[in-house]
Amino acid sequence: MANISNYKDLLIWQKGIILVVRVYQLVKSFPQEELYALTSQIKRAAVSIPSNISEGYGRNTDKSFSHFLDISRGSLYELETQLIIAKELEFVLNVKLYNEIVSLIEEESKMINAFSRTLKN
């Protein structure tokens, strides 16, 4: 973390923000009755990803940061599962955006895993 002056410099945080924006765009078209159910859960999981990255960075130790990266990874997998459920329920109208989000999730997962390994070594 010595070369990083701010959590906003972290590519994993930046990608997390992009992911949140894309997710919010996707769920706009979900059924209104899902607003306080699956839609809300999806939004919370997405927001949790960059939030935990920034919180972990703010703890100022590699061990704490690593712990929060683990939480962020869990939120990422939670988001992926919820999006699969939404697609199976035919809530997803924009398949192109859905596929972009799936790619972002895969990329973010690899980046979090690599960054976490670096911190643990």
Side-chain angles (χ1 to χ4, degrees), residues 12 19 41-53 65-84 105 108-113 116 120:
I12 57 172
L19 184 57
Q41 284 184 274
I42 288 171
K43 288 178 175 181
R44 282 195 313 270
V47 168
S48 178
I49 297 161
S51 297
N52 278 295
I53 292 167
F65 197 3
S66 180
H67 172 72
F68 279 90
L69 286 176
D70 290 343
I71 295 169
S72 184
R73 184 186 307 106
S75 294
L76 188 65
Y77 295 154
E78 178 184 2
L79 172 63
E80 182 177 39
T81 298
Q82 292 164 351
L83 289 173
I84 291 168
I105 288 170
E108 183 79 346
S109 177
K110 290 175 186 174
M111 291 171 60
I112 289 172
N113 289 338
S116 185
K120 290 175 182 173

Side-chain angles (χ1 to χ4, degrees), residues 78-93:
E78 178 184 2
L79 172 63
E80 182 177 39
T81 298
Q82 292 164 351
L83 289 173
I84 291 168
I85 292 167
K87 189 165 192 282
E88 290 294 318
L89 292 171
E90 299 179 354
F91 294 165
V92 174
L93 301 180

Side-chain angles (χ1 to χ4, degrees), residues 2-17:
N3 298 335
I4 303 164
S5 62
N6 189 301
Y7 67 87
K8 294 178 214 161
D9 295 334
L10 296 168
L11 191 55
I12 57 172
W13 180 84
Q14 295 168 9
K15 294 278 184 181
I17 296 296

